[in-house]
Amino acid sequence: MRGAKDAVERLSRPGPHTVLRGDLGMVGLPGVVFAPEEGLGLPAVAFGHDWLQPPERYADLLRHLASWGIVAAAPGSHRGPLPSHAGFAADLRTTLDVCVGVRLGDGKISVDARRTAFAGHGIGGAAALIAAQGHPRAAAVVTIAVAQTHATVHDAARAVTVPVLHLAAGRDTVAPAAGNAEPVAAAAGGPVWLRTLDKASHTGFLEGTHWSDFVLSGSPDAKTRRRTRALVTAFLLHHLQDEDRVDVLVDGKVPGTTLIARP
């Protein structure tokens, strides 16, 4: 890839894999699973939704990750007004266990337990950190506009020693970076990258419409989702697949973003 602009252009487009969609109902957990049509020893990520949001609002990102060879699953639990962070984190762990322990598709898809990660948006990002705390296999964490709504989030950030990417939104009025992503990143116990999408809002990462749009500031934004697809895909490919051709999107200057890194 010739530079960051070229890398964003390439990694924001679908990858080479045909994508299958399933659900988590087989284990009694609501939610969705996206996976490449086939592949053994694949990486996987369990993704946590934001406050009130259905996981379908992240289908664009989850499908995209699967097209690049990463199994992506999102539980749809804890969508009430007072979600349990511990319960949500436990469901993320269960989701990842399902990806690792169950042959997906027609048995042509398997996940390497050493190549797994947690990710999430808003409170789902906080739950991802809590889920990763002490997890024996998680190799990376990604948060998107993380919402520091529970005291245990700071403790989890300190305890997590694997690489963590925090994507923050420069125009976030729901969970402003100054009081959320920035202190959480500063508390990191391991390598951390804090990249702010300068013109993004908290809900710019979502797709479609939902009744919660009337109580949350901002709106879905295609440009925000495009950059997010490229940045999250690059970080996970780098840390789960040892892919070094995407390094410019992990450590480099990306137009429209500001990076603070502590490798």
Side-chain angles (χ1 to χ4, degrees):
M1 299 182 187
R2 294 186 296 272
K5 186 175 181 180
D6 177 53
V8 169
E9 178 63 28
R10 292 183 64 179
L11 280 182
S12 64
R13 297 197 302 261
H17 297 277
T18 299
V19 177
L20 303 178
R21 174 174 175 154
D23 63 67
L24 295 171
M26 56 185 167
V27 294
L29 191 65
V32 295
V33 182
F34 291 87
E37 188 173 35
E38 59 182 3
L40 302 179
L42 298 173
V45 58
F47 188 93
H49 60 78
D50 195 13
W51 184 59
L52 303 176
Q53 303 305 316
E56 287 76 15
R57 299 200 80 180
Y58 304 95
D60 176 62
L61 175 59
L62 303 175
R63 185 184 299 109
H64 184 79
L65 292 173
S67 78
W68 283 95
I70 301 170
V71 175
S77 56
H78 296 279
R79 289 182 52 212
L82 297 173
S84 164
H85 284 69
F88 197 10
D91 285 349
L92 287 173
R93 285 186 170 215
T94 297
T95 297
L96 204 57
D97 289 342
V98 170
C99 293
V100 171
V102 176
R103 276 295 181 101
L104 305 173
D106 295 324
K108 298 179 180 179
I109 307 164
S110 70
V111 168
D112 185 341
R114 299 165 299 178
R115 297 179 174 181
T116 57
F118 292 103
H121 175 218
I123 65 165
L129 284 167
I130 296 169
Q133 183 179 4
H135 194 276
R137 295 186 299 271
V141 178
V142 176
T143 78
I144 299 171
V146 65
Q148 183 185 234
T149 56
H150 198 281
T152 57
V153 178
H154 255 117
D155 294 336
R158 293 188 187 95
V160 172
T161 58
V162 298
V164 178
L165 169 65
H166 295 291
L167 288 182
R171 297 179 178 177
D172 194 336
T173 59
V174 177
N180 293 272
E182 291 178 13
V184 171
V192 63
W193 289 256
L194 171 61
R195 189 180 291 274
T196 301
L197 280 66
D198 300 330
K199 296 182 179 181
S201 69
H202 188 83
T203 53
F205 304 96
L206 301 168
E207 63 174 307
T209 58
H210 186 254
W211 66 264
S212 62
D213 293 342
F214 292 103
V215 297
L216 294 174
S217 176
S219 60
D221 178 68
K223 184 176 290 187
T224 296
R225 293 200 308 274
R226 175 175 171 269
R227 283 202 179 105
T228 300
R229 289 196 302 269
L231 292 167
V232 174
T233 301
F235 192 81
L236 293 178
L237 287 177
H238 178 79
H239 290 289
L240 302 184
Q241 290 282 69
D242 298 320
E243 175 58 72
D244 58 10
R245 290 175 294 178
V246 300
D247 285 3
V248 66
L249 294 186
V250 177
D251 297 309
K253 294 182 179 180
V254 177
T257 76
T258 303
L259 175 65
I260 299 173
R262 194 184 72 201

